[in-house]
Amino acid sequence: MPTLADVIRELESRYDPRWAESWDAVGLVCGDPSQPVRKVLFAVDPVAAVADEALSWGADLIVTHHPLYLRGTTSVAATTFKGRLVHTLIKNDVALYTAHTNADVADPGVSDALARAVGLTGPLVPLSPSADDPRRGLGRIGSLPSPMPLRDFVRQAAAGLPGTAGGLRVAGDLDREVLRVAVSGGAGDSLLGTARAAGVDVFLTADLRHHPASEFIEAGSGPALVDAAHWATEWPWLAEAARLLTSGTAAGGINVETRVSETVTDAWITTAKCEELTSRTPGLKAGA
Amino acid sequence: MPTLADVIRELESRYDPRWAESWDAVGLVCGDPSQPVRKVLFAVDPVAAVADEALSWGADLIVTHHPLYLRGTTSVAATTFKGRLVHTLIKNDVALYTAHTNADVADPGVSDALARAVGLTGPLVPLSPSADDPRRGLGRIGSLPSPMPLRDFVRQAAAGLPGTAGGLRVAGDLDREVLRVAVSGGAGDSLLGTARAAGVDVFLTADLRHHPASEFIEAGSGPALVDAAHWATEWPWLAEAARLLTSGTAAGGINVETRVSETVTDAWITTAKCEELTSRTPGLKAGA
Amino acid sequence: MPTLADVIRELESRYDPRWAESWDAVGLVCGDPSQPVRKVLFAVDPVAAVADEALSWGADLIVTHHPLYLRGTTSVAATTFKGRLVHTLIKNDVALYTAHTNADVADPGVSDALARAVGLTGPLVPLSPSADDPRRGLGRIGSLPSPMPLRDFVRQAAAGLPGTAGGLRVAGDLDREVLRVAVSGGAGDSLLGTARAAGVDVFLTADLRHHPASEFIEAGSGPALVDAAHWATEWPWLAEAARLLTSGTAAGGINVETRVSETVTDAWITTAKCEELTSRTPGLKAGA
Amino acid sequence: MPTLADVIRELESRYDPRWAESWDAVGLVCGDPSQPVRKVLFAVDPVAAVADEALSWGADLIVTHHPLYLRGTTSVAATTFKGRLVHTLIKNDVALYTAHTNADVADPGVSDALARAVGLTGPLVPLSPSADDPRRGLGRIGSLPSPMPLRDFVRQAAAGLPGTAGGLRVAGDLDREVLRVAVSGGAGDSLLGTARAAGVDVFLTADLRHHPASEFIEAGSGPALVDAAHWATEWPWLAEAARLLTSGTAAGGINVETRVSETVTDAWITTAKCEELTSRTPGLKAGA
Amino acid sequence: MPTLADVIRELESRYDPRWAESWDAVGLVCGDPSQPVRKVLFAVDPVAAVADEALSWGADLIVTHHPLYLRGTTSVAATTFKGRLVHTLIKNDVALYTAHTNADVADPGVSDALARAVGLTGPLVPLSPSADDPRRGLGRIGSLPSPMPLRDFVRQAAAGLPGTAGGLRVAGDLDREVLRVAVSGGAGDSLLGTARAAGVDVFLTADLRHHPASEFIEAGSGPALVDAAHWATEWPWLAEAARLLTSGTAAGGINVETRVSETVTDAWITTAKCEELTSRTPGLKAGA
Amino acid sequence: MPTLADVIRELESRYDPRWAESWDAVGLVCGDPSQPVRKVLFAVDPVAAVADEALSWGADLIVTHHPLYLRGTTSVAATTFKGRLVHTLIKNDVALYTAHTNADVADPGVSDALARAVGLTGPLVPLSPSADDPRRGLGRIGSLPSPMPLRDFVRQAAAGLPGTAGGLRVAGDLDREVLRVAVSGGAGDSLLGTARAAGVDVFLTADLRHHPASEFIEAGSGPALVDAAHWATEWPWLAEAARLLTSGTAAGGINVETRVSETVTDAWITTAKCEELTSRTPGLKAGA
């Protein structure tokens, strides 16, 4: 029967921990390398609902994209949701393993799956290639099969990504023709300048805040921006990671069953539309 | 005729620069204290569209909430949008003045206007009071006239805030009864712990990203979260600041005309809804 | 039945975590506050042999002086002895709690027990009193019942401390009359200057290395030094902490059974005597 | 007649100061390069007893392993033992020279002499080779002529090292067969992980404290540990350094007389055995 | 008609901004690359008198050696002399451009012009060559046509540099024969050790203060020192930079008129001689 | 006979080392507190010429204003001028003592003597008072007996200060009437802003470099500047310190003879006048 060590070996042949950023925390969080593993659940976030899903299904291992403890902890007491998760997992013999920035920069990695989900075809290259290996890196640049208005690309991207309350937010001219597209799973504000320098027509990423986004648009002459839910941009990778694990272990004569979590771990559950400014501004002209 | 120095004196009686955070950059950005000032435009962001509005109207001074150069610059050459703005303003004798964190912590300040806009009544107290003066501080806590479901509060808040593409995003149980509400104009992630400790029922702020928001919700036992556009949470303050300036200068026998900019400087112009996960997940069960 | 929360409340009435140093990591390391606790094992170090002792005896809680993770960890995987310990404890419902520098500075604290073990009588005062509360602090100063040669004090201290391979090491004149004695449980090199300034006759502590110890002796005019095993200087406190817990909980109508671990967790198991220099130096006079 | 400059030139051909660590302080501490030097005393520590020995013998130069001022000083006033030493040496025309980490990493260096003293035969290689020159580095790895129980190796090492009060302390199974041995003169805690990675059977060094030593042993699967007095691990090098100086200067037609100091500068003068825990524990079972 | 962009391109072919130090602030400070430029004024310092000179002459661009804002600013308000300068320049369509440490290390650069001005002939090499390109670097070393007493070199240097109140200050033996000379425009204290190591006979630079200069002289065995006004050591470069710009643009078929500012921007306007100590010391012998 | 300890006690009653800046290095540099002291030489700098003067006169102690080792040293070998000084002094039983920033802020201190030397009368107050004791602080502010043109004040100051090659340098309008004067012995650039804020008419100090001085003058509306030799501004204090020591020790029944060094330790020995710009500029108009 396959052990956790066998599964980790296969995962790390794809997502080598040495490629993780220095500030990151990847690898095995809890579990014993010698324990048997038959069922593996893939999820974006290590949270209680995902652990419940794992227990219901009988998973032996959860592989998440986000670390449980990105910063070190000196306690796993069941006084926080993270400590309660550790207790639940250890008591139920469920291991937890994280592939984070090492999965981001892998070839193929998190942004490859995102690129395919939003309809990019043909070859993909890193948006920010690693100095040590240019086939690896953060983000991906690819092309659409043919130019289309930004408006149509947004519809296509929305159709390819899993649903969240906020959906996609768009900045730029909806009639602009777009062909070359950069995508980056997760928070992409640090790549805004790189995306501009790359000369792409649109940059799709997540967690863009007011100052980076509005200064980027104000500077002009750069790509349009599409902002999705952080979770939604990373979720497409789970299926690919699961597929690679099953095929990789099968090639070694080992049978591992995988499943992708369907729990939406985006925080937002609904949205509400605010008043249009034009309908209420007369009374606000303070100086009148 | 009133001078820029006169207007600054009045503004600083309300928004004393000594109350700005040490990392902030408030006060006069360009202009000469001895120049005359008759018309003052109030806006959230110092951007080209706001400068155009100022020139069309004939403003002598723009007062913004956000600094043009939060970090120091060694050049104002017209090779960036910021440098171009400086050239436009100086050539047209339009001064630029910023009241940022000193306006946030003022009494009344940015979050007081936000609190009233979303329907809080009665007394307001700082969410994070200043150690030096407890009437000042970041954010405000207040109450609704009577308890209501979160769903209704969100509708009411949406009706009170100016429209942006993204509107409001909500995390929490929509049926939860809420009464005590904390609000904080602008990016509020640093106040999440404070809001939990304050025991409020809902916290409305802006620019919340995946990790702070989802870990906050996962930890449980805290307020619901409402996330608005950064711009929309600060815009309500402009009318109040304008009113205080006109009344303050009038009391000193000086006539200054004010106007609140109606330019929406939020980056996002539209949204798109993604696919519901349930309708597409069968094919995604990678391990099946 | 008493819960872990009840026991922690009693422990923290004696060893308040707020008195721990800022770099320290005290409190609950694993376990759930709502779990029942009937048997508590006290030990210096959180190691496998101590966990075995706890399991054999049926303990629900181990209280140690040393933290398991003094520096934060991002993994408790069973790939290190620390992670294996966490798995063993959680799987067996044994909680782990640490009282470290908060126990050092408590009144009475770790060095009070050490002082009594080596024969100090009468009142004890902190060697390095806390600025906030002079009854607390690191180390203790006390007196012997009457002056005695250092040689005799060393014999008495050796008789009062639990046995380790290295025993006590002594620096100073064995015939010196000593009366006032400073002691500090654990590594005491940072207190050498304080002990000299205090004008005591002898300073007993642990983990003194060559440079601090030999420079201290070379500087002259200070106390003699006695260096014990780190473990041996902290072990006497365990019995007192156990006694205070049982009496404290009993006063609240709760019955908790305690035991002091007898596992010697000092690393050294034996010693060997080197050659006297005088018997071999002729051949070593290289220049002869 | 040879000058101090001549002797320094010869010493630095063996122990080039450029190989000292960046934090170290090696080279000439006091003395004038033009002064004559006929007699050179080698010692581990620059202390008063060594200076007395130098004066009695009529030495013109003391070469020590340890720096007098590792951290910079702004005063050499005779108000500290170090300042008094400077005054004594300068007034008596005795120069002081230090070869510290540059002697540690030299080939042959401090740990080569230690390796031979404890009975290693055959080739020696650095435990932690320098990236710039793999023949240099901290510590040495070598082999015993044939496998022997740890117990016998300890006896042999004890017989080869100069006597100190504490002798050797041993952690590990005394019956373990050992063949490959790592040694490092002086405090060796920073090399514990390197020694484990090197796969040696035993690591002999000095100044090991409780936490590094006990965590190392608890982690298992590594070498046994032998801890000697810091002074005793570095003293064997003195004879070699003296021999190299006399032969080196003789080759240049210069006659320099050398001597190795026999002053034991380890701080500890005696030890005392503590009580065995088993004979006294009944009364200590606090919970009984 | 030539644009500012054309002129900048020519300037940067000589003084590439990538060669500026990381702490420096070079390039365009204000102005628009598309504005026409016919007349260019070169000056050491960006001050009001230089701006007046530019306006009188009808300059479109001022090129200075010193940055206006070496440290970043968050305001260019006309409340400081720097902000007033920015307003004056922008309102009058005069651009400001800085070439500072990139001009220092250029080949030829600031110290080449200084070397020629003080009479060095033959080839010049950098005093502190850049690791990346040894033809570039700070300072220059060259030779006099033949050896001469320091006294004569000082007279010659004084005749070659523009007049300032303080003139030259000299440290060293006026009768010393000097041949090899190092010069460095601007504050040269950081190059004192380099000048000594280079073995030159005299080092001419500016802004030397008491401690660096007097410790350098006290150490002996180094070059004589000549200290000039900071402004005077950099002014000679202006003519060369102007000449290179006119010839460079002419070669591209563009006509640009240049002028070197004659405004002395050294702070000091006069000097006064103090009393000779010998004439007044009797009364000062305090202990008499 | 008085000992060094006696003299130090008296000096520190005036110049308490606890008032020195944290970065400073004051107190005894070499010598033994128990050695006899009959003759004390006061000087600004600890250099060889001052040591020669001390030996000629038979001094037992040199008191200097400047530290020998402001930054720590790990060697006093006679390979640098500082080490040679230490050897000379120790071999000749001459102690060295420094009173630096503790003498600057003393009441009276270094700048009081400077103020009197340049003709200030009436009460003196610190330019930058200490927060802990407002009678102490850096620099002094005082008044002239009556207003006079800056030109006359400069002449008067020049007459009162000991002669150096560079004399005084002046920035400001020579016809300006001056009455209130700030002075600060030694390098005063850090006090420029304080002097402006104090509203004085002239600020006399030393070691002013181009950027601080020219930016200060360019900013306008502040005091005129007078820059003297660093040495010349501190020398007047020596006589007062000597007088206080003799009277203080005499009051205690101890006879100590003092003398003020007349060695000028300013680095510059002569000056030379550069060419007036007007006489040579025609050929320099590069663009002509």
Side-chain angles (χ1 to χ4, degrees), chain E residues 73-143:
Chain E
T73 183
T74 61
S75 165
V76 294
T79 51
T80 67
F81 81 84
K82 297 187 179 183
R84 280 189 293 271
L85 192 77
V86 169
H87 279 69
T88 299
L89 295 178
I90 290 181
K91 279 186 171 296
N92 289 282
D93 291 318
V94 182
L96 175 63
Y97 183 90
T98 297
H100 190 213
T101 52
N102 48 336
D104 285 332
V105 305
D107 177 22
V110 172
S111 292
D112 289 285
L114 172 60
R116 296 312 180 201
V118 301
L120 304 189
T121 57
L124 299 170
V125 297
L127 169 57
S128 173
S130 160
D132 297 322
D133 179 354
R135 291 167 313 160
R136 293 171 180 272
L138 292 176
R140 289 296 181 275
I141 296 176
S143 288

Side-chain angles (χ1 to χ4, degrees), chain D residues 138-274:
Chain D
L138 292 176
R140 290 296 181 275
I141 296 176
S143 287
L144 295 165
S146 60
M148 60 177 69
L150 173 60
R151 166 188 331 272
D152 292 355
F153 169 70
V154 171
R155 272 192 208 114
Q156 172 178 313
L161 292 175
T164 56
L168 301 181
R169 297 185 297 179
V170 186
D173 177 356
L174 291 171
D175 294 324
R176 174 180 185 167
E177 288 283 294
V178 301
L179 179 63
R180 289 184 71 236
V181 179
V183 300
S184 187
D189 48 7
S190 67
L191 293 170
L192 284 167
T194 310
R196 182 195 301 280
V200 296
D201 302 312
V202 58
F203 178 37
L204 182 150
T205 186
D207 266 351
L208 292 178
R209 286 175 299 174
H210 176 67
H211 287 297
S214 64
E215 295 212 343
F216 186 84
I217 293 298
E218 182 74 9
S221 79
L225 295 180
V226 181
D227 181 72
H230 190 126
W231 172 84
T233 61
E234 296 173 336
W235 187 84
W237 167 73
L238 303 178
E240 179 171 277
R243 193 159 46 235
L244 289 170
L245 176 62
T246 41
S247 63
T249 47
I254 293 175
N255 255 339
V256 175
E257 191 179 356
T258 63
R259 177 181 288 208
V260 169
S261 166
E262 294 176 2
T263 308
V264 180
T265 52
D266 184 49
W268 311 111
I269 57 156
T270 191
T271 62
K273 199 166 162 52
C274 299

Side-chain angles (χ1 to χ4, degrees), chain F residues 22 116 154 260 266 284:
Chain F
S22 60
R116 297 309 181 202
V154 171
V260 170
D266 184 50
L284 287 163

